[in-house]
């Protein structure tokens, strides 16, 4: 088996806003869409994101441990730009830090079971050939 995609849930009422943000701000391309889900790919990536519409109002208290993660030379600044984009569209957002090299963006009303993480590229240098 070969890894194809990772799936997470978005609150139905903010589904299109988050999808639009990923397209406009990070260049994601829509691959496929159904009534309840969408598959997206960022050019140059080889693992896709699937987002499903969720009616769930209950939020996982430990969702900070579940991320869609990006590499960035300026992770905090990049997440702040996404936060500003979302705030301009009425979404409450917060940017926090796991450390001085890895940061996260939460949009509590939109991201049901994950946060968006950005971290310095050095954190993905594992020293292992695949």
């Amino acid at each position: 088996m070969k890894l194809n995609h990772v799936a997470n849930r978005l609150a139905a009422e903010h589904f299109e806003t988050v999808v639009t943000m990923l397209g406009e701000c990070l260049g994601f391309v829509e691959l496929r869409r159904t009534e309840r889900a969408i598959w997206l790919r960022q050019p140059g990536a080889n693992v896709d994101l699937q987002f499903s519409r969720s009616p769930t109002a209950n939020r996982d208290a430990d969702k900070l441990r579940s991320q869609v993660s990006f590499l960035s030379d300026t992770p905090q600044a990049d997440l702040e730009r996404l936060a500003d984009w979302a705030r301009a569209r009425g979404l409450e957002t917060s940017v926090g830090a796991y450390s001085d090299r890895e940061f996260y963006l939460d949009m509590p009303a939109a991201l049901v079971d994950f946060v968006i993480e950005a971290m310095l590229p050095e954190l993905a240098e594992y020293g292992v050939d695949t």
Side-chain angles (χ1 to χ4, degrees):
M1 293 189 300
K2 184 176 181 180
L3 181 61
N4 176 259
H5 72 272
V6 176
N8 291 95
R9 296 176 292 151
L10 297 173
E13 62 269 23
H14 300 294
F15 186 88
E16 293 301 333
T17 303
V18 174
V19 168
T20 299
M21 180 185 75
L22 292 172
E24 287 183 10
C25 299
L26 298 176
F28 275 82
V29 176
E30 182 177 321
L31 303 173
R32 181 173 60 175
R33 182 186 285 256
T34 66
E35 187 175 313
R36 65 179 179 88
I38 191 168
W39 288 257
L40 303 168
R41 180 178 299 159
Q42 192 175 39
N46 62 358
V47 175
D48 303 330
L49 291 178
Q50 175 189 343
F51 292 116
S52 296
R53 295 176 195 267
S54 176
T56 301
N58 298 328
R59 305 187 52 78
D60 183 348
D62 193 30
K63 79 174 188 168
L64 292 181
R65 297 291 169 227
S66 180
Q67 310 99 11
V68 172
S69 186
F70 295 89
L71 299 176
S72 169
D73 291 326
T74 56
Q76 184 175 16
D78 287 344
L79 290 179
E80 290 291 353
R81 278 191 284 282
L82 291 180
D84 289 343
W85 188 98
R87 286 183 195 117
R89 285 147 185 86
L91 279 169
E92 176 191 335
T93 66
S94 63
V95 174
Y98 297 118
S99 72
D100 63 346
R101 301 181 305 165
E102 45 195 346
F103 301 85
Y104 64 88
L105 166 71
D106 190 13
M107 292 183 277
L111 308 179
V112 174
D113 57 352
F114 70 102
V115 295
I116 296 174
E117 178 185 49
M119 62 185 198
L120 292 173
E122 66 196 41
L123 293 172
E125 294 172 6
Y126 303 113
V128 176
D129 292 328
T130 59

